[in-house]
């Protein structure tokens, strides 16, 4: 009740919007989200208690506003009376509620739409300058170093054959001096809204980081179907549809294609739990390694 009264006062003071009702408030890590019924329509207020994230959250809000202007369906921040993207003292921002349902990876048309959307998003993000908190790692370690380090320290539960294939791919790979840019890094079903097979909203840019686009694509190609609980790997068919659609919007260079295979297998292997594996992560990694070994259906080839 106290939070609702506080939000009502803050939103009116800083945005000039009247809150009629606060429908619900949920907590997520250091964040709180509130769904508001206002005289300006249905809005979401999101604020963060982590003071050290102030600069990063400002960059996130500015990036979302920029990609919105580029035609990406995001909920751009509503500007305060002073033209700010959020209220800095408590890192509170307002955005409109986007209609839609979470992506269903059992729908091939929706999966392909997601792939095209990530390609469009990467092209839009590549136009953004690298700066601020996300830019603190504006020279991410080479993929060969990151993957090789993981491979050397891999856990005993990682399938030996799939790990051997990963090593073979690294040995045969071209240069990993790939372009760097801002990437979403959490592009998956939990953050994608759809109406039919159309993507109506890309949500949650808080993991915005600087990396190679193929690292982001690989993560999505493995985790696209995950939501909140009981995570499971994406099927091979859905992964193929997703990657082919991505490449139709953002074609890959030869070097990117090779490293996408590596990054996808690496991500798949890294998701295998140490204990019980009811979702079949190990089997999915083995299947992907076999595809790559045969050379006819690799991750990058879609």
């Amino acid at each position: 009740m106290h939070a609702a009264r506080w939000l009502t006062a803050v939103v009116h003071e800083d945005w000039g919007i009247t809150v009629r009702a606060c429908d619900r408030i949920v907590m997520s890590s250091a964040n709180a989200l509130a769904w508001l019924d206002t005289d300006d329509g249905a809005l979401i207020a999101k604020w963060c208690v982590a003071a050290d994230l102030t600069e990063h959250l400002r960059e996130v809000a500015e990036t979302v506003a920029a990609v919105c202007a580029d035609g990406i369906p995001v909920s751009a921040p509503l500007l305060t009376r002073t033209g700010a993207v959020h209220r800095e003292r408590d890192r509170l921002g307002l955005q409109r509620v986007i209609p839609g349902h979470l992506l269903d990876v059992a729908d091939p048309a929706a999966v392909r739409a997601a792939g095209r959307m990530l390609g469009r998003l990467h092209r839009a993000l590549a136009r953004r300058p690298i700066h601020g908190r996300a830019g603190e790692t504006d020279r991410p370690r080479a993929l060969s170093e990151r993957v090789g380090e993981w491979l050397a320290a891999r856990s005993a539960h990682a399938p030996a054959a799939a790990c051997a294939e990963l090593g073979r791919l690294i040995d045969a790979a071209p240069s990993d001096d790939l372009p760097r840019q801002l990437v979403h890094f959490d592009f998956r079903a939990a953050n994608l809204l759809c109406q039919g097979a159309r993507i109506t909203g890309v949500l949650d840019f808080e993991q915005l980081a600087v990396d190679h686009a193929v690292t982001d694509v690989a993560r999505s190609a493995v985790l696209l179907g995950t939501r909140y609980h009981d995570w499971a790997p994406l099927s091979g068919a859905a992964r193929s549809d997703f990657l082919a659609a991505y490449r139709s919007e953002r074609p890959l260079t030869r070097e990117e294609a090779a490293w996408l295979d590596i990054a996808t297998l690496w991500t798949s292997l890294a998701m295998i739990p140490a204990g019980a594996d009811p979702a079949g992560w190990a089997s999915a990694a083995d299947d992907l390694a076999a595809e790559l070994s045969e050379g006819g259906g690799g991750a990058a080839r879609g």
Side-chain angles (χ1 to χ4, degrees), residues 170-206:
I170 294 173
D171 289 342
S175 168
D176 60 351
D177 184 19
L178 306 176
R180 296 170 291 108
Q181 65 167 82
L182 289 175
V183 295
H184 185 280
F185 212 65
D186 202 19
F187 191 92
R188 57 192 181 90
N191 294 323
L192 296 173
L193 295 176
C194 304
Q195 287 186 329
R198 182 170 63 90
I199 305 296
T200 56
V202 181
L203 311 177
D204 197 354
F205 281 71
E206 289 188 10

Side-chain angles (χ1 to χ4, degrees), residues 10 41 58 61 69 73 87 95 108 117 168 178 183 193 210 242 276 278:
V10 165
R58 183 191 299 114
R87 174 180 152 114
Q95 55 190 269
M117 183 57 66
R168 184 193 70 78
L178 306 176
V183 295
L193 295 176
V210 175
F242 175 76

